[in-house]
Amino acid sequence: MTLSLVEGPADQQEYVFSERSTCLVGRSHDCQVRIPSGAPDADWVSRHHCLLDINPPDIRVRDFGSLNGTHVNGEEIGRRKDGQTPEEGAATAFPERALRHGDQIKMGPTVLRVDLANELGLGNEKLEMIRCSRCGSTVLGETAHRDGKLVCESCQSDLGACVADLLRKADDGAAELAAIRGYDLVQELGRGGQGIVFLARHKQTGELTAVKVLLAQVAASPHARAQFLREMSSVASLRHPNIVAFREAGESGGQFFFTCDYCDGGSVADLVRERGHPLSVEDAVAFTLQVLAGLDYAHTAPLVVPGQPDSRGLVHRDIKPANILLTRSDSGGMTARLADFGLAKAFDLAGLSGHTFTGDYGGTVAFMSRAQLTDFKYAQPAVDVWSTAASLYWMLTEMPPRDFPAGKEPVLAVLQDDPVPIRERNPHIPAPLAEAIDNALVDLPENEVCTAEQFAHALREAW
């Protein structure tokens, strides 16, 4: 997929995207498509003008409440009203617009053309029908080039039935489901927009395990399937007491499944809800230090990557209280363990999540640093450290570091607003600890604290 400069200023003539990505457009230095501020009529473009959500060969655009609007083929798709401030414009939720081959996007004096010729062959818009891999009903494919396997919306509405079907097929001898053969479902542990987790017991050994199933939101091509499972083979090589271990993984009909360690204490988010108030400083800091120990290991661990013998280090990219799980000891103590390590990243970069970054990511964006939004594909370990600090902040306040007013575009809140000092949320937090947390949440112009070891040291010094 290529964006080509048709007219007006931009910092490049051409922008090429071969994988799942996001792309900010505007005058700010953190935009991937930047309109130089000194260029003629550049002030017609806002600092953060619009966002491109890219999942080749699909691309969508959304205006951020810009002063002069974003136009597609001459049609305005978003602009704040006359007299509105940038903040008021940012609070207006404009719909995303799907783009097609040959479409032109105009922002002030700059016009970019969308070129999907490589992905579409001749660039046509022909649609095809595919069949649901579970019930066999016909499903309107996104486009003729988007081949692969998919579960229809009707089947996805009953995730529990999807998992039960997979286990039945496994017991009936389906080779691709051998990893989950011989299990009975015990109870649901949790679910999200695209997946579900069950506690399962092996019929012969009685061993308990967690079975997670993710459903591809777009047709899962052989390439996407292989890319995702290859990424997950790296995750499966991680072994640390503060990381939930993946055991086996596989796919059937666009349904991706995993077995992993069962954590009997639920998540940190569950614990806060059960108690009805923020965690004590002692518990919150103890859990955070355990998370940081897991991160310190994962960020430097040798990985099993076919063809890359010297690969080291994984970034989680989705740390939040719901992904910090707890296991209970016989003495009643609890150990924090990071779940879903690299899972969201791998699923998204394989193009399987179908996420709209400005919509479905609301809960996760609250725990993301600026760097994770502006460097979507190549996020570094520092983004995990920031998210861990944000999770600690939430444990102590039940609020994310930044304010997200109703209606405001969450992406812009991350890009433009600084975190609220934690003692403004909870004045009872000791000052040295508050300073350590606030420092770890500095992410402009870059992250103040970049490694798990740095943050762990700061917490130990403060508490």
Side-chain angles (χ1 to χ4, degrees), residues 186-267:
V186 177
Q187 67 182 66
E188 182 180 326
L189 297 176
R191 66 172 65 203
Q194 61 196 16
I196 190 168
V197 186
F198 273 94
L199 175 63
R201 178 182 288 109
H202 198 274
K203 297 173 184 177
Q204 292 184 343
T205 67
E207 180 185 22
L208 292 174
T209 190
V211 176
K212 181 159 192 165
V213 174
L214 295 176
L215 303 184
Q217 302 300 297
V218 297
S221 68
H223 173 74
R225 173 187 180 277
Q227 178 182 344
F228 177 64
L229 293 178
R230 184 171 59 249
E231 289 279 343
M232 293 312 298
S233 69
S234 298
V235 176
S237 66
L238 297 179
R239 288 294 182 270
H240 189 274
N242 298 116
I243 295 176
V244 176
F246 282 103
R247 299 176 183 176
E248 296 186 85
E251 181 268 347
S252 177
Q255 301 169 89
F256 294 81
F257 59 87
F258 318 87
T259 59
C260 54
D261 293 347
Y262 168 54
C263 297
D264 58 1
S267 70

Side-chain angles (χ1 to χ4, degrees), residues 63 141 160-161 172 193 250 378 439-440:
D63 185 84
D172 288 342
Y378 297 108
N439 285 344

Side-chain angles (χ1 to χ4, degrees), residues 97-125:
R97 170 74 171 263
L99 301 175
R100 300 180 177 181
H101 177 69
D103 282 351
Q104 295 194 357
I105 317 164
K106 186 175 189 300
M107 300 134 301
T110 300
V111 179
L112 299 172
R113 185 182 67 247
V114 178
D115 185 358
L116 305 179
N118 290 337
E119 287 83 10
L120 296 177
L122 298 177
N124 60 54
E125 303 300 332

Side-chain angles (χ1 to χ4, degrees), residues 46-259:
S46 298
R47 288 180 59 248
H48 296 111
H49 195 96
C50 63
L51 177 78
L52 300 174
D53 195 348
I54 299 165
N55 187 8
D58 302 314
I59 177 171
R60 293 168 290 215
V61 61
R62 181 171 181 171
D63 185 84
F64 277 156
S66 62
L67 175 63
N68 296 298
T70 301
H71 299 76
V72 176
N73 301 330
E75 177 187 351
E76 186 177 281
I77 63 165
R79 175 170 63 164
R80 66 178 183 260
K81 296 179 181 178
D82 292 340
Q84 281 188 317
T85 65
E87 293 74 22
E88 290 169 335
T92 304
F94 294 104
E96 289 187 334
R97 170 74 171 263
L99 301 175
R100 300 180 177 181
H101 177 69
D103 282 351
Q104 295 194 357
I105 317 164
K106 186 175 189 300
M107 300 134 301
T110 300
V111 179
L112 299 172
R113 185 182 67 247
V114 178
D115 185 358
L116 305 179
N118 290 337
E119 287 83 10
L120 296 177
L122 298 177
N124 60 54
E125 303 300 332
K126 177 183 175 182
L127 298 179
E128 68 171 9
M129 304 297 286
I130 61 176
R131 291 189 176 277
C132 171
S133 63
R134 179 170 178 265
C135 70
S137 62
T138 55
V139 182
L140 183 64
E142 293 195 354
T143 44
H145 56 276
R146 178 75 80 178
D147 62 344
K149 297 179 180 180
L150 183 68
V151 174
C152 69
E153 288 187 10
S154 177
C155 288
Q156 289 193 28
S157 67
D158 192 348
L159 293 174
C162 290
V163 179
D165 279 354
L166 288 177
L167 293 184
R168 280 194 292 270
K169 291 178 182 177
D171 286 346
D172 288 342
E176 73 274 17
L177 297 170
I180 53 174
R181 187 172 299 151
Y183 283 97
D184 283 328
L185 298 181
V186 177
Q187 67 182 66
E188 182 180 326
L189 297 176
R191 66 172 65 203
Q194 61 196 16
I196 190 168
V197 186
F198 273 94
L199 175 63
R201 178 182 288 109
H202 198 274
K203 297 173 184 177
Q204 292 184 343
T205 67
E207 180 185 22
L208 292 174
T209 190
V211 176
K212 181 159 192 165
V213 174
L214 295 176
L215 303 184
Q217 302 300 297
V218 297
S221 68
H223 173 74
R225 173 187 180 277
Q227 178 182 344
F228 177 64
L229 293 178
R230 184 171 59 249
E231 289 279 343
M232 293 312 298
S233 69
S234 298
V235 176
S237 66
L238 297 179
R239 288 294 182 270
H240 189 274
N242 298 116
I243 295 176
V244 176
F246 282 103
R247 299 176 183 176
E248 296 186 85
E251 181 268 347
S252 177
Q255 301 169 89
F256 294 81
F257 59 87
F258 318 87
T259 59

